[in-house]
Amino acid sequence: MGGMHLRSGSDPQVQADLEPVIPNQWWRIRGPKALTADKRVAHLTGFSYLAWQNCKLRHVPYTPCLLLTTIGRSSGMLRETVLPFHPFDDGEVVVIGSNSGGSSDPSWVENLRSEPRCWLRVRRRDRATLGRVAAGDERSRALSAVLITRPYAQAYEDRTRLLGREMPIVILSPRLNASRKKERP
């Protein structure tokens, strides 16, 4: 089915695409403007339209999302990303750095490797956390927790291995004695 493209100005970086997915039912949105809007909606409501539409396209239930704020490894600026999450041990949560099965890790994973202090917003509540890329048995257990509700994540795991990288499985642990305010490093 052909897509309809709406443009704001002539700059391709601000292009937002609308594509009819099921006639007269809903539209698939994507592009930089959609990402910005999704972050705002996730901050206010805890819901991600982009994650919902991806689940709808896969015919799987919606996976709850969080808003992860990391510190940019080069800029030092706060960077936000909306990610599906999965509960893990003792108040920890798991997120995966699939990058849609691409050949490189997402920027937010590289930011966490450089500076593990981060913040997450779940159900409209902010929490100071530390992020770490899981390894060994912990990685296997965390990936198993993800695959229970998102079995299609196995395809990302397989694709990243074919491209020569291991998909990061990230554990976000509560930071003790941390303020709720996003302090600078």
Side-chain angles (χ1 to χ4, degrees), residues 28 38 48 50 54 63-65 67 71 77 95 104-105 113 136 154 178 182:
R28 179 176 181 210
D38 198 48
S48 168
L50 296 178
N54 288 334
T63 303
C65 291
L67 185 65
I71 299 169
M77 303 286 293
V95 292
S104 62
D105 291 341
R113 285 182 175 134
Q154 184 64 51
K182 293 178 180 169

Side-chain angles (χ1 to χ4, degrees), residues 26 28-29 48-62 84 100 152 156:
W26 62 283
R28 179 176 181 210
I29 62 170
S48 168
Y49 181 82
L50 296 178
W52 174 83
Q53 77 180 6
N54 288 334
C55 289
K56 191 151 180 86
L57 287 168
R58 287 188 174 95
H59 306 286
V60 298
Y62 174 75
S100 298
Y152 55 88
Y156 292 147

Side-chain angles (χ1 to χ4, degrees), residues 2-184:
M4 179 173 113
H5 304 286
L6 300 178
R7 294 200 173 154
S8 299
S10 59
D11 184 358
Q13 291 298 315
V14 296
Q15 177 178 336
D17 293 339
L18 285 176
E19 176 182 350
V21 178
I22 301 171
N24 303 320
Q25 289 190 16
W26 62 283
W27 291 79
R28 179 176 181 210
I29 62 170
R30 57 188 177 180
K33 281 188 172 182
L35 288 173
T36 300
D38 198 48
K39 288 176 194 175
R40 288 183 182 151
V41 170
H43 180 83
L44 294 172
T45 68
F47 178 80
S48 168
Y49 181 82
L50 296 178
W52 174 83
Q53 77 180 6
N54 288 334
C55 289
K56 191 151 180 86
L57 287 168
R58 287 188 174 95
H59 306 286
V60 298
Y62 174 75
T63 303
C65 291
L66 58 78
L67 185 65
L68 176 67
T69 304
T70 59
I71 299 169
R73 66 191 173 282
S74 299
S75 68
M77 303 286 293
L78 297 179
R79 304 291 183 197
E80 293 182 324
T81 307
V82 178
L83 298 166
F85 76 94
H86 310 275
F88 198 52
D89 297 334
D90 299 324
E92 296 176 326
V93 296
V94 177
V95 292
I96 61 173
S98 66
N99 209 11
S100 298
S103 60
S104 62
D105 291 341
S107 296
W108 63 265
V109 172
E110 297 300 334
N111 290 344
L112 284 176
R113 285 182 175 134
S114 175
E115 172 57 69
R117 288 180 300 160
C118 57
W119 299 265
L120 58 88
R121 184 171 179 86
V122 178
R123 296 178 190 93
R124 297 181 296 173
R125 298 190 74 188
D126 295 318
R127 293 177 18 198
T129 57
L130 289 173
R132 70 180 181 281
V133 177
D137 286 344
E138 182 181 51
R139 183 184 189 284
S140 297
R141 287 188 310 107
L143 181 56
S144 294
V146 170
L147 293 176
I148 290 169
T149 55
R150 294 177 64 202
Y152 55 88
Q154 184 64 51
Y156 292 147
E157 171 80 346
D158 297 341
R159 196 173 327 152
T160 58
R161 285 199 189 280
L162 287 173
L163 294 171
R165 77 175 177 102
E166 181 175 79
M167 181 174 69
I169 308 297
V170 176
I171 312 276
L172 301 169
S173 304
R175 257 195 283 161
L176 302 177
N177 301 325
S179 78
R180 300 176 126 203
K181 187 177 176 183
K182 293 178 180 169
E183 75 276 0
R184 299 295 300 202

